[in-house]
Amino acid sequence: RWPSSLGRIVTQPWRSNDMLGDRSKIGSLLDGIWLTSSGVSVCLLPNRAALDLSFNDRDLPDASQEGCVLRLRSTGEELVNLELRVSDDVRAAHRQLASRLERPTAPQPPALELMRAPIWSTWARYKMAVDQVSVEGYASEIAAAGFPRSQLEIDDKWCAHYGDFSFDSAKFPDPA
C-alpha cells in the first residue's frame, strides 16, 4: 500500500483553512494540482466554481475500499474544469506543470535595502502571540537600540484564519 492510500480528507469546501487548529481540514495553501508517481497529473483549471473536495472519504456511498480516490464536486451552477495529462514519469509531469506557471517578463531584482539590513521577525519573541501593541513595541525597541532594519515581518497568527489575508481585528484594531 502507498502512503496516499492511508490518507483521508472527508468531504469539505475547497478553501484555505487553519490546519494547525484542526488537522482534518485542508491546509492554508491550495494548489489545484495532483501529481502521481507514475506521471499522471490532474490540474484544476481556473474558474469561479465553488467546490467540495474529498480524498479517500470512505463514508461516501460509492467509496472504494482500495486505491486512492480524489473527488471534486461543484457546489454551484458552474462546471468544474479539469485537465488530465499523462507523462512518461513524475519528473516529466512536474516539468510540464511548472512550465505553465506565469513568470515575470523581465527579471525583478529584490530591493537593495532588503539585503543591506536585517529583516526582523516577531516569531523570535512572540511566536503566535502577536498583537498590535506587542508588534509596535518590538519595532520601537529595535529602532531605539539603533539596529539596522529593512522590514519587520509579522509572523504567525496575525489573521483570524489562515489564508484570509486580513488582520484579526481583535489583535490589530488599527493595522494601518
Side-chain angles (χ1 to χ4, degrees):
R1 296 185 64 108
W2 291 94
S4 60
S5 298
L6 304 175
R8 180 175 182 207
I9 298 173
V10 297
T11 302
Q12 59 186 279
W14 172 259
R15 64 175 180 245
S16 291
N17 287 293
D18 180 0
M19 198 171 93
L20 294 176
D22 183 349
R23 293 285 184 189
S24 68
K25 299 285 186 188
I26 300 172
S28 58
L29 293 176
L30 295 178
D31 237 343
I33 297 173
W34 293 269
L35 185 62
T36 70
S37 58
S38 64
V40 175
S41 65
V42 177
C43 183
L44 178 63
L45 299 175
N47 65 5
R48 300 190 186 279
L51 300 175
D52 279 346
L53 168 121
S54 67
F55 182 75
N56 292 342
D57 189 348
R58 306 291 187 227
D59 296 333
L60 294 174
D62 60 342
S64 165
Q65 296 304 313
E66 296 298 322
C68 299
V69 179
L70 170 70
R71 288 185 178 82
L72 290 170
R73 183 186 61 164
S74 176
T75 56
E77 297 295 319
E78 298 87 4
L79 295 176
V80 177
N81 295 317
L82 298 173
E83 180 179 83
L84 178 65
R85 290 186 176 236
V86 179
S87 301
D88 292 337
D89 55 33
V90 68
R91 180 182 222 167
H94 187 269
R95 284 187 174 157
Q96 187 178 55
L97 289 166
S99 71
R100 298 173 48 159
L101 297 175
E102 291 184 31
R103 305 209 185 264
T105 55
Q108 303 293 318
L112 290 177
E113 294 79 25
L114 293 176
M115 292 188 229
R116 291 184 177 138
I119 297 172
W120 295 84
S121 175
T122 58
W123 184 261
R125 181 179 287 181
Y126 301 106
K127 306 293 188 264
M128 291 192 229
V130 294
D131 60 28
Q132 187 164 343
V133 171
S134 62
V135 170
E136 288 175 351
Y138 188 44
S140 294
E141 285 179 44
I142 294 166
F147 292 127
R149 59 211 178 270
S150 62
Q151 71 182 44
L152 174 62
E153 173 190 76
I154 303 173
D155 210 314
D156 218 354
K157 294 306 282 179
W158 56 272
C159 54
H161 304 285
Y162 288 110
D164 65 9
F165 301 113
S166 340
F167 279 95
D168 181 340
S169 59
K171 290 179 159 192
F172 293 88
D174 185 22

